[in-house]
RNA sequence: GCGCCCGUAGCUCAGUGGAUAGAGCAGCUGCCUUCUAAGCAGUGGGUCGCAGGUUCGAGUCCUGCCGGGCGCGCCA
């Protein structure tokens, strides 16, 4: 019996109490089931009676008693106690608990998937770094978090498209092109230009691809460096992301918005909604009507649109492509953008609470490791992969809440010790894989899971493990809804610990010439179920689940 | 000055209004002739930044203050 099954049973019990006239209330849509911190409080607990006390006009404990009476009749429920202010503490019978293993094994790689977000068409944009330099640590965080979030949303049945907004127009690009051109001609890079080894490397590649470029007139040559420099730079970015295991469904070019006239269309839409005025030669949007602290220019006095006018056109484009929810992950250094963007959306007559969501992530820095001499923040994605590897790099980035600024300790994440959380989790998976290999090599036949006596999984360590395994789908759903992939990492650490304690306490394979114990087969299936959940969870984070370490 | 985020064990951090606030690491004490000791058990460690408020109940919600991070362009 899964927590979801139990929640349904609790609601059924409430319905029963209503039908018998014990309670006079509307049956709620859902029941919250949680694992009590202390096992003295049963396998599961629900606070539903506390929540229903007010509408029922009865003391919480009375409501609890009425529900408990009904719930005790439910198959698989061994005991129901009313405790404290009105909690229902529920104990399942052994067979109902053990049956979870069969549920997990049968679901396999889809265990943890739900339909919680079915029907939602979500566009998830992240990274979107300008092609003027290599990805650095902050981008890496959004790459890891965004990719994990996409996997979570998909696991919750949302229709997700991941997108990278390729900012290939604007003054930053002009500066980048000018820097490339300067370097190629052996000149000093302008003060406001881009510096670094990669600029020289890209310039060199462009010259190699276009041998005559330096003989061309200045404007033409600059255009070659602009177009092909961006292309090269973007190639570098994509190949880094590729190595990191992050692939986007759509790479969207800002240029297309300009080329297809989408910017002008968007300005006209805004104008039609009556929030546009002209002043000092520029076109303004009256965003103060929508809570912004000042009005914003959307078309500069020289006729060029501002960057967030393009961003709004991009938003419109996404909406036109049928997405009902636009999610954009941004770093805290861009959070001032949020009220503006919301105001712009309202200027279009849409409700940003329904269509636009901008999770803000706090900053990331790094210390330690031989790369730290490169002054912390300029650590690139490639540097990180070289320093700690893909798995540790991704895990380090998703392990903490986006709301927390993090400081990555490269020495710790590079270490192959128990200090390193990703190894703790991966080790649990490898340990199980090894155990299952040994069982196979000893020719132990697990048979079919349906034939295993899973009710034998009744010791404290076994039921702890079962309980934790049962939580997984709820954790995935919560992580998806709250856009909080770090919850998966924390869960996996908890599950790993629970497994290690089970492993330490419960011998599985026979030693020497011992007989196969009656617990062996059910426990092997419990191990397999645990391995599946660890693999599924790591998969949601884009981290590998090794069979050997 | 205004806005967003953070403040929880020595350190790094979890904690979707519920019961005695948790984990990992670090410290100390134990556990490997047989399934991976990259593990486990035990132990110490807390004014949940401070002060009010909301309620059956607040680390969690509200207000104010203190400390830290990040923003506040016709830059992106």
């Amino acid at each position: 019996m899964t927590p979801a099954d139990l929640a349904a049973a609790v609601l059924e019990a409430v319905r029963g109490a209503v039908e018998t006239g014990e309670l006079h209330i509307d049956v709620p849509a859902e029941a919250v089931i949680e694992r009590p911190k202390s096992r003295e409080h049963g396998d599961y607990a629900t606070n539903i009676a506390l929540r229903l006390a007010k509408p029922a006009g009865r003391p919480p404990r009375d409501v609890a008693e009425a529900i408990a009476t009904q719930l005790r009749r439910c198959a698989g429920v061994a005991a129901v106690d009313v405790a404290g202010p009105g909690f229902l503490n529920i104990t399942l019978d052994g067979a109902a608990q053990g049956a979870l293993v069969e549920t997990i094994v049968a679901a396999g790689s889809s265990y943890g998937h739900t339909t919680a977000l079915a029907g939602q068409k979500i566009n998830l944009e992240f990274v979107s770094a300008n092609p003027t330099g290599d990805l650095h640590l902050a981008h890496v965080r959004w790459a890891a978090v965004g990719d994990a979030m996409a996997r979570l949303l998909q696991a919750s049945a949302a229709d997700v498209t991941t997108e990278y907004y390729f900012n290939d127009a604007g003054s930053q690009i002009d500066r980048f092109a000018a820097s490339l051109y300067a370097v190629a001609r052996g000149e000093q890079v302008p003060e406001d230009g881009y510096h670094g080894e990669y600029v020289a490397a890209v310039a060199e590649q462009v010259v190699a691809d276009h041998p005559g470029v330096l003989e061309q007139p200045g404007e033409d040559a600059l255009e070659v460096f602009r177009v092909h420099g961006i292309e090269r730079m973007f190639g570098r970015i994509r190949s880094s992301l590729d190595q990191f295991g992050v692939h986007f469904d759509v790479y969207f070019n800002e240029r297309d918005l300009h080329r297809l006239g989408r910017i002008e269309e968007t300005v006209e839409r805004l104008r039609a909604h009556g929030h546009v005025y002209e002043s000092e030669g520029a076109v303004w949007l009256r965003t103060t009507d929508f809570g912004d602290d000042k009005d914003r220019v959307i078309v500069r006095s020289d006729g060029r649109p501002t960057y967030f006018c393009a961003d709004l056109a991009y938003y419109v484009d996404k909406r036109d492509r049928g997405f009902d929810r636009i999610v954009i992950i941004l770093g805290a250094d861009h959070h001032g953008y949020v009220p503006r963007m919301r105001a712009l959306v309202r200027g279009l007559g849409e409700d940003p609470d329904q269509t636009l969501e901008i999770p803000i992530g706090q900053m990331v820095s790094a210390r330690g490791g031989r790369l730290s001499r490169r002054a912390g923040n300029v650590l690139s994605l490639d540097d990180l992969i070289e320093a700690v590897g893909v798995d540790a790099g991704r895990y380090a980035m998703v392990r903490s809440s986006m709301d927390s600024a993090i400081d990555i300790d490269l020495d710790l994440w590079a270490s192959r010790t128990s200090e390193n959380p990703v190894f703790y989790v991966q080790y649990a998976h490898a340990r199980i894989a090894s155990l299952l290999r040994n069982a196979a090599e000893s020719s132990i036949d697990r048979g079919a899971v349906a034939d295993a006596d899973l009710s034998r999984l009744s010791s404290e360590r076994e039921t702890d493990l079962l309980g934790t395994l049962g939580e997984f789908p709820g954790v995935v759903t919560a992580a998806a809804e709250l856009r909080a992939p770090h919850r998966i990492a924390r869960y996996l650490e908890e599950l790993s610990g629970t497994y290690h304690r089970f492993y330490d306490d419960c011998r599985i394979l026979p030693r020497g010439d011992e007989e196969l114990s009656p617990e062996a087969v059910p426990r092997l299936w419990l191990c397999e179920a645990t391995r599946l959940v660890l693999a599924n969870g790591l998969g949601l984070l884009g981290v590998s689940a090794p069979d050997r370490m």
Side-chain angles (χ1 to χ4, degrees):
Chain A
M1 180 177 268
T2 67
D5 297 334
L6 185 58
V10 167
L11 291 178
E12 193 51 46
V14 173
R15 195 167 296 119
V18 169
E19 280 166 9
T20 58
E22 273 288 318
L23 297 176
H24 302 280
I25 45 164
D26 293 327
V27 178
E30 53 186 40
V32 176
I33 300 291
E34 53 183 21
R35 297 275 300 167
K37 287 167 197 154
S38 163
R39 292 303 294 272
E40 292 161 23
H41 295 140
D43 296 321
Y44 291 99
T46 177
N47 63 356
I48 193 159
L50 290 161
R51 290 175 182 277
L52 294 179
K54 192 164 280 181
R58 303 259 306 270
R61 288 193 63 106
D62 286 7
V63 177
E65 286 295 353
I67 299 168
T69 302
Q70 297 291 322
L71 192 57
R72 288 189 186 106
R73 295 179 192 161
C74 178
V77 173
V80 182
D81 294 315
V82 175
F87 289 102
L88 286 174
N89 293 336
I90 302 161
T91 305
L92 300 182
D93 67 37
Q97 285 193 73
L100 180 67
V101 168
E102 193 180 340
T103 303
I104 294 170
V105 170
S109 60
S110 70
Y111 179 67
H113 290 215
T114 68
T115 54
L117 302 181
Q120 289 194 29
K121 194 164 157 62
I122 299 175
N123 184 284
L124 178 62
E125 180 194 337
F126 53 102
V127 185
S128 295
N130 284 354
T132 53
D134 291 316
L135 297 184
H136 60 254
L137 220 43
H139 300 125
V140 179
R141 188 173 191 185
W142 315 138
V145 169
D147 189 60
M149 210 180 276
R151 292 165 192 249
L152 280 170
L153 294 171
Q154 265 151 12
S156 304
D159 178 0
V160 185
T161 297
T162 56
E163 201 146 325
Y164 186 123
Y165 182 53
F166 180 18
N167 214 308
D168 55 356
S171 56
Q172 301 298 325
I173 297 295
D174 293 342
R175 285 180 201 168
F176 182 62
S179 302
L180 293 175
Y181 191 31
V183 168
R185 294 203 297 177
E187 293 171 0
Q188 192 75 29
V189 173
E191 195 46 52
D192 63 354
Y194 289 88
H195 305 263
E197 293 167 27
Y198 74 95
V199 177
V202 170
E204 202 173 302
Q205 287 174 323
V206 172
V207 173
D209 293 343
H210 306 271
V213 62
L214 293 176
E215 281 73 56
Q216 292 181 22
E219 278 304 307
D220 294 352
L222 196 57
E223 188 57 19
V224 170
F225 279 102
R226 179 202 310 277
V227 172
H228 298 283
I230 289 172
E231 203 174 283
R232 281 290 184 176
M233 198 61 240
F234 197 53
R236 287 171 69 105
I237 291 171
R238 283 187 67 157
S239 109
S240 296
L241 287 169
D242 228 51
Q243 270 193 66
F244 202 50
V246 175
H247 313 280
F248 288 85
D249 297 321
V250 175
Y251 292 87
F252 193 96
N253 293 324
E254 180 187 355
R255 277 196 167 186
D256 289 341
L257 291 173
H258 294 84
R259 200 162 46 78
L260 299 171
R262 303 307 301 272
I263 312 266
E264 292 77 3
E265 274 175 45
T266 302
V267 172
E268 287 317 308
R269 279 212 216 182
L270 287 168
R271 202 186 295 278
H273 279 88
H275 305 295
V276 169
Y277 65 94
E278 306 202 5
S279 172
E280 301 164 48
V283 180
W284 297 68
L285 187 74
R286 198 173 286 106
T287 52
T288 47
D289 286 352
F290 309 115
D292 200 357
D293 52 3
K294 61 175 87 164
D295 289 345
R296 305 292 170 176
V297 171
I298 52 175
V299 181
R300 299 182 183 93
S301 46
D302 64 6
R304 286 154 50 228
T306 58
Y307 79 95
F308 63 86
C309 186
D311 286 344
L312 183 63
Y314 184 31
Y315 166 87
V316 169
D317 183 85
K318 287 171 177 169
R319 294 284 289 141
D320 287 350
R321 279 187 278 147
F323 295 104
D324 40 49
R325 202 149 186 100
I326 312 299
V327 183
I328 308 171
I329 299 177
L330 289 182
D333 52 344
H334 286 78
H335 77 254
Y337 169 97
V338 176
R340 253 172 296 178
M341 192 65 189
R342 287 175 56 86
L344 288 163
V345 168
R346 292 187 65 183
L348 284 170
E350 296 200 337
D351 178 3
D353 288 336
Q354 298 301 316
T355 62
L356 179 67
E357 191 181 316
I358 308 182
I360 295 297
Q362 298 299 310
M363 307 312 277
V364 50
S365 56
R367 66 190 151 89
R370 62 196 167 81
L371 293 161
S372 66
R373 270 172 264 123
R374 295 201 199 179
N377 256 338
V378 299
L379 198 74
S380 74
L381 173 50
D382 293 347
D383 293 336
L384 180 76
I385 293 174
E386 188 187 328
V388 306
V390 171
D391 282 345
R394 289 186 71 127
Y395 196 91
M397 294 294 167
V398 298
R399 184 176 185 258
S400 296
S401 158
M402 283 176 75
D403 289 340
S404 293
I406 54 173
D407 185 34
I408 301 294
D409 182 337
L410 294 174
D411 288 328
L412 187 154
W413 288 99
S415 72
R416 305 177 66 79
T417 70
S418 55
E419 293 179 288
N420 186 342
V422 71
F423 278 99
Y424 183 77
V425 176
Q426 289 183 314
Y427 176 71
H429 185 272
R431 202 180 209 189
I432 298 172
S434 168
L435 176 59
L436 295 174
R437 267 198 308 276
N438 291 341
E441 282 165 14
S442 307
S443 303
I444 294 171
D445 182 11
R446 291 204 298 251
V449 65
D451 298 333
D453 183 6
L454 301 171
S455 68
R456 282 189 176 273
L457 301 172
S458 58
S459 73
E460 187 178 340
R461 292 297 166 82
E462 289 164 325
T463 54
D464 279 349
L465 185 51
L466 285 166
T468 305
L469 292 172
E471 286 178 275
F472 185 58
V475 171
V476 174
T477 302
E481 286 175 345
L482 298 170
R483 319 284 190 245
H486 74 280
R487 284 167 177 260
I488 300 297
R490 300 298 173 152
Y491 168 80
L492 291 173
E493 289 167 29
E494 184 195 337
L495 175 59
S496 299
T498 308
Y499 178 76
H500 287 311
R501 284 185 285 279
F502 154 79
Y503 177 92
D504 190 63
D505 198 52
C506 298
R507 179 74 204 187
I508 299 168
L509 300 178
R511 321 166 197 241
D513 48 8
E514 284 176 5
E515 291 287 308
L516 195 65
S517 73
E519 285 79 24
V521 166
R523 282 177 179 170
L524 282 168
W525 281 114
L526 179 58
C527 288
E528 171 62 7
T530 306
R531 194 194 62 74
L532 275 166
V533 175
L534 287 170
N536 293 356
L538 285 168
L540 289 172
L541 303 180
V543 175
S544 73
D547 288 334
R548 295 172 202 272
M549 288 176 75

